[in-house]
Amino acid sequence: MHKLGRSHRDKVQQVMAITGASEKVALQALKASDWHLEGAFDVFYSQPHIRTYTDTRHLEELYQRYKDSYADMILVDGITLLCNDLQVDPQDIVMLVLSWHMKAATMCEFSKQEFISGLQGLGIDSLEKFRERIQYMRSELKDEQKFREIYNFAFGWAKEKGQKSLALDTAIGMWQLLFAEKQWPLVDHWCQFLQARHNKAISRDTWSQLLEFARTVDPTLSNYDAEGAWPYLIDEFVEYLNENNIVQKSQMEDPARR
Amino acid sequence: MGQMGYYENDFEAAMLKDSAAYYSRKASSWIIEDSCPDYMLKAEECLKREKDRVAHYLHSSSEPKLLENVQHELLSVYASQLLEKEHSGCHALLRDDKVEDLSRMFRLFSKIPKGLDPVANIFKQHVTAEGTALVKQAEDAASSKKGEKKDVVGLQEQVFVRKVIELHDKYVAYVNDCFQNHTLFHKALKEAFEVFCNKGVGGSSSAELLATFCDNILKKGGSEKLSDEAIEETLEKVVKLLAYISDKDLFAEFYRKKLARRLLFDKSANDDHERSILTKLKQQCGGQFTSKMEGMVTDLTLAKENQTSFEEYLTNNLNANPGIDLTVTVLTTGFWPSYKSFDLNLPAEMVKCVEVFREFYQTKTKHRKLTWIYSLGTCNIIGKFEPKIMELIVTTYQASALLLFNSSDRLSYSEIMAQLNLTDDDVVRLLHSLSCAKYKILNKEPNTKSVAPTDHFEFNSKFTDKMRRIKIPLPPVDEKKKVIEDVDKDRRYAIDASIVRIMKSRKVLGHQQLVMECVEQLGRMFKPDFKAIKKRIEDLITRDYLERDKDNANLFKYLA
């Protein structure tokens, strides 16, 4: 650090304090961003492979704390305990993000492998670090690309093992959770529509295309392409919105123009 | 020497200009004063005269130029006004069947560029209107029928089909004669018919109407009594109409169902006609369309041979003889419509028949499974009534019910149902036919017009009829719903197969194009609904045949 000027030294300290990175990593990030603090944070957070050193013994201890008494995995009780420790509601969306990091196969359980590798990837080997990372995980939802990955991950994670489709109730629950973050104005109508008209499980294709629909089509449906390859359920939703006058039919003919 | 410079520049140009001006003046007054036919007569006359003039005193090279000018002034300029003249224009001529005027119109308008397009258009509109009027007429007649037999295709619908055939004959003649077989008019006729031929009448689709029409011609005692020649001609015309119907697969299924009834209940009037229409259908719609039906007809021929061997078997194995004359028709499952087989409790006498045949059949082939469809069988039974002994021709179901009365004088509805092991629907139907219809073989208590689960039945020993032998019909169950269900199911498979075929060869394809190609591929048999195609695409995605492109959701990729 000797060769750095005072302001640069300060910045390195700041980055280290906030991200928990080592001096070396903090320095790298700052150099990469031309010594702009915010840029340095971007650089740091956008590198998914940054692994800070995690102590495997500590990880093993953590696992043992939550592991089920009979099975070699973490089940509902363990997860509840974890949530308590983290001071996080079990329904909090950050648990989904955590599961995503772990590449958990199914909700409400973590295998040992999933737990350990997930925590390693996040640079966590103690409860304290764990708590600190919560904020970071929340922030990941703001990133468009990551949100999409987490959203699509949620489908496989939330459905029953061995099923190809996601039960409607679970899907609606997940959508409400996810779109509370993303702020899609039509989410409630979508859920109502499904309960009234569809009443069947949701396919993976419909799930993933819904996100695209929410992202690209504006709530007045002005740029909705009826000839497009939207899943049939989404076409029906648009019809439902038009029929119930939730959205005005596209005004293509302006009578004033005649 | 020999060049036309002076002729063309000094004379012809001026001549052409003056002629044009002359005809322009004439046309502007004629168009107001004359009716369309009169105007056309004059126009034709003018053209003829100009042609003669050229022949008499002008150079032949002037002819095309002069005629073109005249045509332009007389026809092109006033084309729409002429065609749309209110009481004498194209519409009116068609309405009043003015064949000669229409022929003239064709001759004249074919000379000017794009002259025929509006004529063909008016023709198309006219035919469409006439056809649609027929549909409405039939629809009105059908809905005014009071309540009964709403689901059965009735007389009105028969009349409707006849009228459509007549309409077709009339306008095909127009296309051939007035319009000199021109493709534009063939196309107009086709499009017009496609519009109204796909409208149903009285709740029945046009596919069903056509199939029923054929059935009436081909069955014994059908409503149409025609000579052989007339039958052939009519069948030919019906097949031509089929070309306009988009739901050809629906027609095929209805036709197949009715063919099955004709064949199995020996109701077919004439074998040659049956084969003839199949040939015509094959020519029009391809071999796949008729392969099952042909199989059905063949099955019957084979069945006759089989029966002969069976009878031989019986003579050679006297102890196997069940004591009743038995005829069995073995059907190849794939060809015939699907029939539900119910586990009817056969009377003891018949049980032996079934066993004997089964043994015989085992001697012929070991690898086939026989499923008995009792709902399709018929029985001749002798009824010992007090006035006289009579022979009754009934279905197997009815026979089984009647034989119960050999051991009991009086039976309740529930006893009958329990003994026969049939559904309520079947029991009500069959008991109705025996106690509430024309021939009352059983007495019903109470003597109401319909069968209730609380009724009781007794053998009517006093029953008689002037004939010694009577047929007691059992009206068939309405097949319409099942046919439509079966066709929808087949369509889903067909759409799946088509999508997979297209994607397998194209590997990557946009949504719009995939849908278009699918519609084209399947067009021969039916018009697939866009929504249905979308649903199948999504199903195929779920089944991992296809996936969406990661960057463009409108693009699909084939997954090997």
Side-chain angles (χ1 to χ4, degrees), chain B residues 26 168-169 179 209 224 266 297 308 315 348 423 439 474 542:
Chain B
K26 288 286 178 188
H168 191 246
D169 285 343
F179 302 127
L209 295 178
E224 306 270 338
D266 191 28
V297 176
T308 319
T315 22
T423 63
Y439 301 115
L474 181 60
T542 310

Side-chain angles (χ1 to χ4, degrees), chain A residues 164 205 229-232 235, chain B residues 531 534-535 538 542 548 554:
Chain A
K164 273 208 154 178
D205 185 58
W230 294 112
Y232 145 83
D235 289 337
Chain B
K531 274 194 186 169
K534 245 197 189 178
K535 278 191 187 170
E538 283 173 46
T542 310
R548 284 184 202 262
N554 276 341

Side-chain angles (χ1 to χ4, degrees), chain A residues 59-100:
Chain A
L59 274 173
E60 184 66 40
E61 275 164 27
L62 262 183
Y63 176 68
Q64 288 301 325
R65 179 175 167 73
Y66 302 112
K67 164 179 142 26
D68 184 77
S69 359
Y70 299 106
D72 186 18
M73 41 192 333
I74 302 179
L75 298 175
V76 178
D77 291 337
I79 294 182
T80 316
L81 181 56
L82 173 63
C83 290
N84 268 339
D85 288 345
L86 296 173
Q87 286 159 4
V88 152
D89 190 293
Q91 311 287 5
D92 191 315
I93 198 173
V94 78
M95 293 309 288
L96 170 61
V97 184
L98 177 64
S99 303
W100 171 64

Side-chain angles (χ1 to χ4, degrees), chain B residues 28-205:
Chain B
S28 58
S29 57
W30 290 344
I31 193 73
I32 300 177
E33 297 158 2
D34 294 325
S35 70
C36 172
D38 287 341
Y39 184 103
M40 288 198 297
L41 271 165
K42 288 186 181 166
E44 203 170 47
E45 189 57 37
C46 292
L47 284 167
K48 181 171 178 300
R49 289 219 199 103
E50 292 300 330
K51 199 162 179 225
D52 288 344
R53 277 184 198 120
V54 172
H56 283 151
Y57 55 79
L58 295 175
H59 191 272
S60 61
S61 68
S62 295
E63 184 177 309
K65 298 177 202 168
L66 184 58
L67 290 181
E68 202 189 302
N69 260 12
V70 178
Q71 276 155 209
H72 178 77
E73 294 303 330
L74 288 181
L75 299 169
S76 296
V77 172
Y78 293 104
S80 1
Q81 277 176 277
L82 198 54
L83 292 175
E84 286 162 26
K85 261 191 184 271
E86 201 170 326
H87 301 292
S88 62
C90 188
H91 255 300
L93 296 178
L94 284 166
R95 193 188 58 213
D96 301 331
D97 296 328
K98 300 277 191 214
V99 177
E100 230 196 271
D101 291 323
L102 287 167
S103 305
R104 180 166 303 110
M105 184 177 272
F106 178 84
R107 285 197 299 273
L108 289 172
F109 280 79
S110 57
K111 297 181 194 195
I112 54 174
K114 297 228 179 225
L116 290 175
D117 290 348
V119 183
N121 220 358
I122 298 179
F123 177 63
K124 178 167 132 186
Q125 282 168 20
H126 175 82
V127 176
T128 310
E130 295 256 302
T132 311
L134 283 183
V135 172
K136 181 153 195 307
Q137 207 178 57
E139 187 68 62
D140 288 340
S143 57
S144 69
K145 246 181 0 198
K146 303 287 178 191
E148 35 84 32
K149 291 205 195 161
K150 268 254 155 99
D151 275 342
V152 176
V153 173
L155 188 57
Q156 284 308 319
E157 288 86 349
Q158 282 289 105
V159 167
F160 168 68
V161 175
R162 266 260 163 251
K163 286 192 179 165
V164 173
I165 293 179
E166 281 163 17
L167 191 76
H168 191 246
D169 285 343
K170 177 176 172 186
Y171 288 111
V172 163
Y174 271 49
V175 173
N176 288 334
D177 304 331
C178 306
F179 302 127
Q180 296 179 22
N181 232 337
H182 195 281
T183 39
L184 258 183
F185 290 84
H186 273 294
K187 183 161 173 267
L189 184 70
K190 172 172 175 284
E191 288 172 6
F193 268 77
E194 278 170 359
V195 169
F196 68 83
C197 277
N198 284 303
K199 298 202 163 116
V201 171
S204 300
S205 61

Side-chain angles (χ1 to χ4, degrees), chain B residues 382-399:
Chain B
I382 308 286
K384 295 193 174 130
F385 301 99
E386 275 168 40
K388 66 172 189 266
I389 294 180
M390 295 185 64
E391 192 181 328
L392 308 173
I393 303 176
V394 291
T395 64
T396 309
Y397 278 15
Q398 289 164 310

